Amino acid sequence: MATTDSTETSGLSVRDLTREYPTRGEPLRVLRGVSLDLARGDALAIMGPSGSGKSTLLHILGTLDRPTGGCVTINGRDPFALPEPELAAFRNREVGFVFQDHYLLPQCSVLENALIPTVVATRAGADPETRARQLLGRVGLSERLAHRPAELSGGERQRVAVARALINRPTLLLCDEPTGNLDRKSAQAVGDVLLEIARAEQAVLIIVTHSGELAARLPKRMELVDGKLEEKA
Ligand code: ADP
Ligand code: MG
């Protein structure tokens, strides 16, 4: 069977992306022409001062928000051309998110939390519970499956969030300050699992971070400056 493996078809491609927020006066031009190509297995750190538009960019890449201009291609599809119900299904399948806060459901166990995205839909042929147990094992939580979030450390909660983000084998794994609330050792452990699993599963990993230590571990680093992405040493 012929396979295509270009970024165009299987990774992430972003062209001249702009995002303005309307204000009473001039529109606030947050993104001013962002272009980016990442293949499966690539990992990029995005840095930049507070207010530079990092979260705005991640929200658009994750299809939670729409751009003002430009285009985004994820796994060969333009998500913004999809009608809303299909876009929701596309997002659920193709994008995993890890935020600074874990957003775990307090009444659910670790195993149930990791399974939440599969309640909506999952990839054909996958057995969600087996997958969840495997992922939770890979993030070091096999002994914690029945715990509630309140019975975990901050680092452990964030590792559940990583397993939840990966449950549907997303093309894109988007992380917004994933270690921002953690001590150094827990941050390192979360960085370890993000990098290892994203690479093993050939996801496109993007991590927005203020941590130079975390950014230094990623093969690519860029900075959002004046609404554009610049290479960072
Ligand atoms: P960062 O994540 O880099 O700190 P954000 O993407 O959150 O930056 O915000 C970029 C800029 O856009 C900020 O100046 C912020 O105030 C503004 N902004 C973010 N969201 C909105 C919104 N929904 N409406 C208007 N302005 C917004
Ligand atoms: Mg932000």
Side-chain angles (χ1 to χ4, degrees), residues 6-232:
S6 75
T7 303
E8 283 288 302
T9 56
S10 71
L12 170 71
S13 171
V14 179
R15 284 288 162 276
D16 300 322
L17 195 74
T18 59
R19 179 64 164 103
E20 298 178 353
Y21 290 115
T23 70
R24 287 180 201 205
E26 290 285 295
L28 180 64
R29 297 170 63 210
V30 176
L31 303 178
R32 299 170 175 236
V34 169
S35 295
L36 184 63
D37 282 295
L38 293 171
R40 284 175 173 274
D42 273 351
L44 169 70
I46 297 180
M47 306 191 78
S50 181
S52 58
K54 304 180 300 297
S55 294
T56 299
L57 176 60
L58 275 202
H59 278 88
I60 294 173
L61 298 182
T63 77
L64 291 168
D65 184 20
R66 283 172 187 269
T68 309
C71 45
V72 176
T73 310
I74 300 167
N75 202 14
R77 300 289 297 271
D78 170 4
F80 302 114
L82 298 170
E84 194 56 47
E86 282 179 45
L87 177 58
F90 178 90
R91 180 188 308 126
N92 185 65
R93 188 177 68 238
E94 299 289 351
V95 188
F97 293 97
V98 179
F99 298 100
Q100 182 164 356
D101 295 309
H102 53 79
Y103 296 116
L104 300 177
L105 297 183
Q107 72 278 24
C108 291
S109 69
V110 163
L111 183 61
E112 288 163 348
N113 267 288
L115 281 164
I116 284 167
T118 69
V119 173
V120 181
T122 193
R123 290 195 190 266
D127 167 23
E129 189 171 328
T130 304
R131 167 87 176 147
R133 287 176 184 275
Q134 282 167 350
L135 276 173
L136 289 165
R138 285 159 82 184
V139 301
L141 293 174
S142 288
E143 310 297 313
R144 299 283 186 279
L145 299 184
H147 283 230
R148 309 269 173 243
E151 299 161 348
L152 300 175
S153 72
E156 288 170 338
R157 282 180 210 136
Q158 208 53 338
R159 283 184 272 141
V160 180
V162 171
R164 180 187 55 192
L166 286 158
I167 191 83
N168 282 337
R169 300 185 186 276
T171 299
L172 269 185
L173 179 55
L174 304 176
C175 311
D176 199 349
E177 309 268 10
T179 62
N181 288 344
L182 303 178
D183 61 76
R184 188 156 176 252
K185 190 155 171 269
S186 305
Q188 221 162 29
V190 167
D192 287 345
V193 298
L194 281 172
L195 283 158
E196 277 169 28
I197 306 178
R199 178 146 190 86
E201 306 221 327
Q202 292 286 291
V204 174
L205 173 65
I206 301 181
I207 303 182
V208 164
T209 185
H210 286 295
S211 162
E213 198 173 348
L214 176 57
R217 301 179 62 186
L218 276 73
K220 295 182 181 176
R221 284 175 296 283
M222 299 186 99
E223 189 166 10
L224 198 51
V225 181
D226 296 330
K228 293 188 174 179
L229 280 178
E230 293 180 354
E231 298 280 342
K232 199 170 156 65

